[in-house]
Amino acid sequence: MRIDKLLSNAGAGSRKEVKKLLKNGIVTVNDQVVKDPKTQIDPEKDVVMISGEVVDYKEYVYFLMNKPDGVISATEDFFEKTVLDLLDESDRVRSPFPVGRLDKDTEGLLLLTNDGGLAHHLLSPKKHVPKTYFAVVKGEVTEQDAEDFRKGVVLDDGYKTKPASLNIIKSGMMSDIELTITEGKFHQVKRMFAAVGKKVVYLKRISMGPLTLDENLKPGEYRELTEEEIETLRQYEAEDFL
Ligand code: URA
């Protein structure tokens, strides 16, 4: 990777500002002054410093967000507030993007990263990554619904869903449930309940693959994944459980 890209990605300034830093001779790579913005750097091995301070460079960033209601899972939008708008400016420098989409009114676990390989794995329909949702459903959710979801239900466009696991927490006029699906069709959870004549009135994603929502995060809050969580994700990807 070019040193100017590495430095600007690390938050040292715009490409133009970084060029100035280099020209001023205050940037070193393995203790040698480097002035050429095109200098190639190995981020894993080379030690880059600005005025003697090590540049903490991470190629990839991973954020776990508790997405709030009313915000769209896109990187930019003319009219609507996006999940990227919820990130601090310093967390946006490495251009993270949401891994998959939650509806505007869906809350819960959303991973944001710039690790395209990992995102591709997690989103690939071939990998059947399980995603669990908590939902409040209007109407009495029954064991028959669980059976129907296990066998697959036909959505409004004729698509038959893959086996899904329904856990009824509380059944009544309003029911609390958890549903695990391994695909990600548009509005899937809402449409599955519509297929059995019921309406989802609240939806929150609580897990995706090996990641679970951190209950300490209030809607709209986020944190970096821990080293352990990143390692678990990498293993998940490597072992091709996905
Ligand atoms: N299913 C839905 O209906 N909406 C979501 O946001 C996610 C899954």
Side-chain angles (χ1 to χ4, degrees), residues 117-118 120-130 209-210 233-242:
L118 177 76
H120 180 76
H121 258 83
L122 289 172
L123 294 175
S124 167
K126 288 191 212 119
K127 306 294 176 183
H128 312 297
V129 174
L233 269 180
R234 294 235 168 91
Q235 270 177 24
Y236 194 73
E237 185 183 2
E239 289 167 18
D240 214 13
F241 284 156
L242 304 171

Side-chain angles (χ1 to χ4, degrees), residues 67 73 101-107 131 133 181 183-192 200 203 205:
K67 180 196 165 295
S73 312
R101 282 173 187 254
L102 291 177
D103 297 338
K104 186 175 169 186
D105 62 356
T106 301
E107 296 184 2
K131 285 154 288 232
Y133 294 84
I181 57 176
E183 36 185 4
K185 301 284 170 212
F186 187 59
H187 297 328
Q188 182 158 345
V189 176
K190 292 173 186 165
R191 287 163 73 212
M192 283 175 74
V200 171
L203 189 60
R205 182 157 64 190

Side-chain angles (χ1 to χ4, degrees), residues 64-68 107-109 204 213 217-222:
L64 181 75
M65 178 181 282
N66 183 358
K67 180 196 165 295
E107 296 184 2
L109 187 153
K204 172 163 98 168
L213 181 63
L217 293 174
K218 296 195 188 79
E221 291 184 344
Y222 68 97

Side-chain angles (χ1 to χ4, degrees), residues 17 22 51 100 112 122 133 143 145 180 224:
E17 287 162 343
L22 288 158
S51 304
L112 294 114
L122 289 172
Y133 294 84
E143 286 305 328
D145 296 329
T180 302
E224 282 201 51

